[in-house]
Amino acid sequence: MRLTTIALTTATLFAALPVHAAAMPTQEQINAAVQAGVAKQKSSVPIPVKVTSLQGCQQAQEPEFKGEVVCLVRMSAGMRDGFTVLPLRQEGDTWVGVERKHAQFAGPAPAEAQALIRAWAKQEVANNPEAAKDQQMQEAQTTMQVKAINNCEVKRSSGYLQCDTILSVPGRPDDIKTELTFTLEAGNWRYVPR
C-alpha cells in the first residue's frame, strides 16, 4: 500500500515536469558559434573576436523566433570590448549564431522586479534611517507595484538592462512610467538604483 502511494506520487511529480528542460549554451559553445560566424565572413583583415563572459541566456521572447535563445555576453573584438545580445539556435548538438539585428533580452518579471526594489529599499532604510522619512522610499518598501517591464536595452559598457517600466501606487490615479535598471549576476537579477 505504502509503495503504491510513493510510486503514484513520483509518477505524478514526473508527469508534471517537462520532458526535458530547454538546453542553454555554455560560454564555450557560444564562442564556437561566434568563431564559425567569423570564419564565414572571410574578412581580408582578420579581427580577433571572443566571448569573454556570459551573463545568462533565455528563450527568445518574440513568437516569430520560437526555438531560439538569446544570450547576454561580453565580447572582445580587436580594440573594442562591450556587452551585446547574441541570438542562437541549436542544430543537432551544435549551437549556431542567428543573423538578426536588435535581438532583445528580457528583464526580470514584474513580480521579481517588485521584490528586488522592495529588498533594496529596505536595505537603504536599514543603512540610513533618515531615508525612512521619504515618502517614495516608504512606497518602494510597501505599496508600490511593478505592473510591466518592456523594451529593455542593454548598455554596451556595463551590461545593465535599462527597461521601460510601469509602476503604480495605491491612491495615485495614474500609472508612473519610468526607466529602471537591472543587472544579471550569476543567474540572478539585481536592481541597480540611479
Side-chain angles (χ1 to χ4, degrees), residues 52-150:
T52 57
S53 70
L54 170 62
Q55 301 303 108
C57 296
Q58 59 186 221
Q59 294 293 322
Q61 302 297 308
E62 306 91 336
E64 63 268 28
F65 303 121
K66 186 177 180 184
E68 292 181 10
V69 300
V70 288
C71 296
L72 179 57
V73 299
R74 183 177 193 116
M75 293 186 69
S76 171
M79 300 295 282
R80 298 188 60 166
D81 192 25
F83 289 90
T84 191
V85 178
L86 293 178
L88 302 135
R89 74 172 176 272
Q90 198 168 17
E91 292 181 356
D93 292 337
T94 306
W95 287 94
V96 295
V98 176
E99 289 189 38
R100 175 162 49 100
K101 291 184 179 180
H102 311 297
Q104 298 288 310
F105 198 87
E112 185 176 7
Q114 182 174 303
L116 292 169
I117 293 166
R118 286 190 179 169
W120 166 80
K122 287 177 182 172
Q123 187 62 49
E124 285 294 303
V125 168
N127 292 342
N128 177 12
E130 278 297 305
K133 297 175 185 174
D134 181 79
Q135 181 180 354
Q136 287 183 333
M137 195 60 80
Q138 291 170 8
E139 291 168 347
Q141 289 184 81
T142 57
T143 59
M144 184 196 70
Q145 296 178 345
V146 177
K147 292 176 74 175
I149 293 183
N150 302 303

Side-chain angles (χ1 to χ4, degrees), residues 149-188:
I149 293 183
N150 302 303
N151 305 321
C152 295
E153 179 185 332
V154 175
K155 295 299 175 187
R156 183 168 173 75
S157 61
S158 64
Y160 291 175
L161 270 70
Q162 193 166 12
C163 305
D164 294 339
T165 308
I166 299 174
L167 308 172
S168 69
V169 177
R172 292 193 189 176
D174 297 323
D175 288 339
I176 302 163
K177 294 180 181 178
T178 189
E179 286 185 338
L180 295 180
T181 304
F182 301 91
T183 185
L184 191 58
E185 296 173 343
N188 296 308

